[in-house]
Amino acid sequence: KQEVTQIPAALSVPEGENLVLNCSFTDSAIYNLQWFRQDPGKGLTSLLLIQSSQREQTSGRLNASLDKSSGRSTLYIAASQPGDSATYLCAVAGSNYQLIWGAGTKLIIKP
Amino acid sequence: DGGITQSPKYLFRKEGQNVTLSCEQNLNHDAMYWYRQDPGQGLRLIYYSQIVNDFQKGDIAEGYSVSREKKESFPLTVTSAQKNPTAFYLCASSWTQPSNTEAFFGQGTRLTVV
């Protein structure tokens, strides 16, 4: 059974720092991996989707990598800003298209 | 504007009462999903539907029911059999082609038992 883990559960860094969020999964047979952002009391916003055949995806200051063989993905945020404060979730899609979720990393960027 | 609309944003349920959460999408997606989110936990799948008039139970379907009479709509009913319904409920939709399963979410409904 696929399990997805995100470590750390919470992270607080000063504004301007580059940072990395981690996501690990136990079964490498995935279709894709998706990173989402969730603001308090809100729905989820898709940030990046990496297909199983891809190694990374970039959008603005965000870069997500995927290493299927080791069961890991990282979300790199460059030059962090207070507006980046949110909970970041990763989810993997298996052969039945179902998403298996990590519990998220709560990120706080201090001005 | 394409997207997913959930309503209401806040919902209060009395003990023993059934309530229905609405989810509508105009993205022409085949698949729709209902998730429950509790503090400190990942999203848990309640029900999903990949085609009209068909749906499957997720990991925590007990105490919930759904229907998929139209492609655009996937309402969730929280029945009195659900003993701990207070949670944040999220609806999502996606295509089902292996090359395109990116999920899009509504803004959620917060259900509270009073």
Side-chain angles (χ1 to χ4, degrees), chain B residues 5-16:
Chain B
T5 302
Q6 288 187 242
S7 62
K9 187 173 182 179
Y10 299 97
L11 187 58
F12 298 90
R13 191 194 94 167
K14 295 180 180 179
E15 295 282 352

Side-chain angles (χ1 to χ4, degrees), chain B:
Chain B
D1 246 348
I4 302 175
T5 302
Q6 288 187 242
S7 62
K9 187 173 182 179
Y10 299 97
L11 187 58
F12 298 90
R13 191 194 94 167
K14 295 180 180 179
E15 295 282 352
Q17 191 179 43
N18 292 354
V19 291
T20 297
L21 285 61
S22 171
C23 179
E24 304 276 334
Q25 55 100 359
N26 61 6
L27 300 168
N28 201 32
H29 284 163
D30 303 307
M32 297 186 74
Y33 312 83
W34 275 105
Y35 292 94
R36 170 178 172 142
Q37 187 177 37
D38 294 283
Q41 298 188 37
L43 276 68
R44 292 184 290 169
L45 183 64
I46 304 172
Y47 269 98
Y48 65 100
S49 167
Q50 295 185 335
I51 194 170
V52 174
N53 292 322
D54 188 47
F55 47 83
Q56 284 78 40
K57 294 181 179 180
D59 299 322
I60 55 166
E62 185 175 352
Y64 300 97
S65 66
V66 294
S67 63
R68 186 88 186 275
E69 297 177 1
K70 299 186 299 182
K71 189 175 186 178
E72 303 79 22
S73 179
F74 192 41
L76 173 73
T77 296
V78 184
T79 74
S80 56
Q82 171 49 241
K83 297 307 178 188
N84 184 24
T86 295
F88 191 52
Y89 291 85
L90 288 159
C91 178
S93 69
S94 73
W95 296 109
T96 54
Q97 295 93 346
S99 62
N100 189 2
T101 61
E102 185 175 6
F104 295 86
F105 281 78
Q107 287 300 299
T109 294
R110 184 164 300 279
L111 174 63
T112 303
V113 175
V114 296

Side-chain angles (χ1 to χ4, degrees), chain A residues 1-21:
Chain A
K1 181 183 174 185
Q2 178 74 272
E3 293 183 2
V4 180
T5 304
Q6 291 185 250
I7 295 174
L11 181 63
S12 180
V13 300
E15 179 179 6
E17 281 198 7
N18 303 325
L19 59 99
V20 174
L21 306 181

Side-chain angles (χ1 to χ4, degrees), chain A residues 3 14 17 22 34-35 45 50 52 56 65 72 84 87-88:
Chain A
E3 293 183 2
E17 281 198 7
N22 297 296
Q34 201 167 352
W35 282 94
T45 301
I50 310 177
S52 62
E56 65 177 343
S65 68
R72 292 181 184 176
D84 294 330
T87 296
Y88 290 81

